[in-house]
Amino acid sequence: SLTGRLFLANVLVFGLQAAFPSLTSWGAKRSDLLLQGRQLHRLVTPLFLHGGIGHLLANSYSLRNIGIDVERSFGPTRFLATYLVSGMAGNVLSAIRSPHPAVGASGAIFGLVGAQYTFLARNADLFGYVGRRQKAQLLETVGLNLALGMTNPMVDNW
């Protein structure tokens, strides 16, 4: 699955970060550069970089839990488009709201959550109780991630 490939890409890139620490500074979101329209690769590269093993595990866990259902619902092309566009939009918002460098796929994962929630809400009659339960689980995931982000000053919630 594409979800599995993204998961593996994140793990492999994290290994590269460990071997080549300069990779992180090369690809992290830099607000100053993005807002000047320079080094636009930084809109995408942060999606595959992580700030530590805990960060990688949290994002990988969320991707595996949510990604498979979203990929199944939307197909691999729309899944990938949602993941990338959401991640890039998150990096743009982060660049506007925070001057600090940032890495991680949280924006992409929150985009997948939003897409799946909207899909379930628009098709509530079709999914019934199962859809309501899945929506509740998505909201729990969002709440937990936001709470963790608010308690860690190193997490960029934008």
Side-chain angles (χ1 to χ4, degrees):
S1 72
L2 191 51
T3 300
R5 285 186 227 141
L6 283 173
F7 174 85
L8 287 175
N10 285 327
V11 172
L12 289 173
V13 171
F14 187 73
L16 289 172
Q17 282 181 264
F20 306 101
S22 63
L23 180 64
T24 304
S25 60
W26 172 82
K29 186 251 345 172
R30 288 260 318 266
S31 300
D32 58 333
L33 297 172
L34 288 176
L35 294 175
Q36 294 169 11
R38 297 173 36 215
Q39 297 189 17
L40 297 180
H41 68 276
R42 293 177 187 272
L43 291 171
V44 177
T45 52
L47 304 179
F48 299 96
L49 300 171
H50 291 85
I53 190 72
H55 188 205
L56 173 68
L57 291 173
N59 277 346
S60 296
Y61 177 80
S62 296
L63 177 61
R64 292 289 289 195
N65 280 343
I66 299 164
I68 293 168
D69 288 338
V70 177
E71 186 176 353
R72 195 176 302 130
S73 297
F74 298 163
T77 303
R78 287 184 179 154
F79 164 78
L80 183 60
T82 301
Y83 185 86
L84 292 174
V85 170
S86 297
M88 290 187 297
N91 284 325
V92 169
L93 181 60
S94 175
I96 292 167
R97 300 288 299 172
S98 172
H100 306 293
V103 295
S106 299
I109 291 168
F110 278 120
L112 294 177
V113 168
Q116 185 71 357
Y117 188 92
T118 301
F119 175 74
L120 292 169
R122 287 188 173 179
N123 295 287
D125 292 341
L126 179 64
F127 291 109
Y129 172 78
V130 172
R132 286 191 300 276
R133 185 67 202 130
Q134 287 178 347
K135 287 191 315 186
Q137 289 172 331
L138 289 170
L139 291 176
E140 288 172 16
T141 300
V142 168
L144 177 63
N145 280 288
L146 288 175
L148 290 172
M150 286 185 226
T151 61
N152 184 342
M154 299 304 293
V155 173
D156 178 358
N157 277 322
W158 295 109

